[in-house]
């Protein structure tokens, strides 16, 4: 018989507050067209994107996260020192160690919480939310700060016609805390590693370490290109539209609700065509508010869902207490979907 005492966590967890930060610089498609042979009409028709935000040197991954976190903590009505864990999802923090979560925790005045980074691409927010829920129910933390943050402009090849227009920068954060009722449903998540090559970094970091630089990609001026994100657009589109709609339906089933019970749909803001196709495949009723933040924010990977959530609430298109289906999907290929009550 085990001598270990049972955990004393909360029966359930919920999102208590949300915050977002978008860099001050707004970049229209015209700027992208300076480097690629395309048109504003083509970019909008393929992605739905009209503008995106790019960070300045001062708007670092940590700085943007601190801004978003402060808003989320204030929205939750708690003190920073009550945060028991900080979980950061990002692929654009370029220090292998330490985790950027530790710096963020210190800068927001959280005391000495558990702090770590995760790498789950565009599904990272869903992964972090699931970990936060587990910590609260298990009892290892009362409040968990989950951050999705990216500076994807640092990983964008502006000469790549297939991806140059897609990516933006920003940070979104939520505070997850205890609840007496279920407000975060079961997570449907997974990976399809056989498709990993469809979204990837062009060259690994160690290619610059004692490697043969003649094998590295060059830009139009003959300079070595920094590693960038590349993808097989059509393969990703088909996977996202058909397979992720199935995952989204599984999340609804796991939560014990139907599409008619939904108030809001917040998918990863990858591409407007993908979003609209998922809405059609899921047969969402007209009363369901759909996040289309991608039009003015671009694809911000792990930050896209909390940023879209924050904007819907701030503009009144969604309200506290609404039932929302959230789903993230991307590089790996990985995915995570769940139903939540909005803060």
């Amino acid at each position: 018989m085990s001598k270990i005492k049972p955990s004393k966590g909360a029966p359930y967890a919920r999102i208590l507050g949300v915050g977002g930060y978008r860099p001050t610089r707004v970049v229209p498609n015209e700027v992208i067209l300076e480097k690629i042979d395309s048109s504003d009409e083509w970019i909008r028709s393929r992605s739905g994107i009209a503008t995106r935000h790019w960070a300045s040197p001062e708007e670092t991954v940590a700085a943007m996260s601190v801004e978003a976190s402060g808003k989320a903590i204030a929205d939750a009505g708690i003190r920073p020192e009550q945060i028991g864990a900080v979980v950061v999802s990002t692929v654009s923090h370029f220090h292998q160690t330490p985790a950027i979560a530790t710096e963020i925790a210190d800068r927001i005045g959280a005391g000495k919480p558990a702090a770590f980074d995760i790498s789950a691409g565009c599904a990272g927010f869903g992964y972090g939310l699931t970990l936060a829920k587990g910590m609260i129910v298990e009892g290892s933390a009362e409040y968990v700060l989950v951050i999705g943050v990216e500076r994807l402009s640092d990983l964008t090849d502006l000469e790549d016609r297939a991806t140059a227009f897609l990516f933006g920068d920003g940070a979104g954060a939520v505070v997850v805390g205890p609840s007496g009722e279920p407000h975060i449903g079961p997570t449907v998540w997974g990976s399809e590693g056989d498709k990993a090559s469809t979204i990837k970094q062009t060259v690994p970091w160690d290619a610059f370490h004692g490697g043969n630089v003649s094998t590295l990609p060059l830009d139009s001026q003959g300079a070595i290109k920094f590693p960038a994100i590349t993808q097989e657009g059509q393969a990703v589109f088909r996977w996202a539209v058909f397979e992720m709609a199935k995952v989204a339906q599984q999340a609804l089933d796991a939560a014990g609700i139907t599409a008619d019970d939904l108030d809001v749909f917040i998918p990863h803001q990858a591409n407007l065509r993908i979003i609209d196709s998922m809405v059609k495949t899921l047969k969402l009723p007209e009363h369901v508010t759909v996040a289309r933040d991608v039009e003015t924010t671009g694809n911000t990977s792990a930050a896209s869902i909390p940023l879209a959530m924050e904007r819907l609430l701030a503009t009144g298109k969604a309200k506290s207490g609404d039932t929302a289906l959230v789903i993230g999907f991307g590089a790996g290929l990985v995915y995570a979907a769940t139903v939540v009550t909005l803060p």
Side-chain angles (χ1 to χ4, degrees):
M1 184 174 179
S2 174
K3 297 180 181 179
I4 300 173
K5 293 180 180 180
S7 300
K8 295 182 179 180
Y12 304 105
R14 71 171 298 164
I15 300 173
L16 299 174
V18 60
Y21 180 83
R22 292 171 173 81
T24 56
R25 183 187 178 194
V26 177
V27 180
N29 288 337
E30 286 74 19
V31 172
I32 307 299
L33 296 173
E34 294 173 5
K35 294 282 188 177
I36 60 172
D37 180 18
S38 187
S39 67
D40 177 66
E41 180 183 4
W42 186 88
I43 292 174
R44 290 176 188 251
S45 65
R46 303 287 286 191
S47 68
I49 299 171
T51 61
R52 72 285 293 145
H53 295 255
W54 282 356
S56 67
E58 293 76 25
E59 292 169 316
T60 63
V61 166
M64 292 190 294
S65 297
V66 168
E67 291 291 333
S69 299
K71 295 175 183 178
I73 292 169
D75 192 42
I78 67 168
R79 302 184 307 277
E81 57 267 27
Q82 292 179 271
I83 298 293
V86 177
V87 182
V88 177
S89 178
T90 186
V91 298
S92 47
H93 170 54
F94 297 144
H95 290 271
Q96 197 71 38
T97 192
I100 195 63
T102 58
E103 178 184 341
I104 295 166
D106 179 64
R107 289 178 61 174
I108 65 174
K112 299 180 180 180
F116 57 94
D117 298 350
I118 58 175
S119 177
C122 305
F125 176 75
Y127 276 48
L129 187 63
T130 303
L131 293 173
K133 174 186 173 183
M135 283 185 270
I136 291 161
V137 173
E138 187 270 339
S140 58
E142 184 177 11
Y143 299 100
V144 180
L145 178 65
V146 180
I147 303 167
V149 57
E150 301 293 2
R151 275 182 53 119
L152 293 183
S153 58
D154 292 335
L155 288 168
T156 299
D157 180 355
L158 295 178
E159 296 180 344
D160 181 358
R161 189 172 183 270
T163 62
F165 56 89
L166 287 176
F167 303 118
D169 304 335
V174 298
V175 172
V176 184
S179 172
E181 296 179 334
H183 287 288
I184 300 176
T187 299
V188 178
W189 58 353
S191 64
E192 297 184 30
D194 60 315
K195 301 179 181 64
S197 63
T198 56
I199 306 175
K200 63 182 181 180
Q201 186 172 304
T202 49
V203 293
W205 299 115
D206 61 5
F208 294 84
H209 181 66
N212 183 359
V213 295
S214 65
T215 65
L216 296 175
L218 305 178
D219 65 18
S220 59
Q221 305 301 313
I224 295 175
K225 287 186 177 182
F226 193 73
I229 298 173
T230 184
Q231 68 176 32
E232 298 174 17
Q234 286 303 313
V236 173
F237 180 87
R238 289 192 298 270
W239 175 77
V241 169
F242 298 108
E243 297 304 317
M244 291 305 97
K246 297 176 185 176
V247 171
Q249 183 60 54
Q250 290 169 15
L252 290 175
D253 295 341
I257 67 172
T258 68
D260 289 335
D261 298 314
L262 279 180
D263 300 303
V264 184
F265 178 44
I266 311 178
H268 164 51
Q269 302 294 294
N271 179 304
L272 194 59
R273 291 171 62 209
I274 291 175
I275 293 170
D276 289 343
S277 294
M278 289 182 71
V279 168
K280 183 177 180 180
T281 302
L282 287 167
K283 299 179 180 178
L284 295 184
E286 289 187 5
H287 75 262
V288 176
T289 297
V290 179
R292 293 185 172 88
D293 194 44
V294 66
E295 295 173 322
T296 56
T297 305
N299 180 343
T300 56
S301 187
S304 79
I305 290 175
L307 277 174
M309 182 185 295
E310 185 265 349
R311 175 160 282 174
L312 287 176
L313 289 166
T315 58
K317 294 181 179 179
K319 63 183 185 299
S320 175
D322 278 353
T323 299
L325 169 64
V326 299
I327 178 170
F329 45 86
L333 294 171
V334 295
Y335 54 86
T338 189
V339 175
V340 303
T341 301
L342 295 183

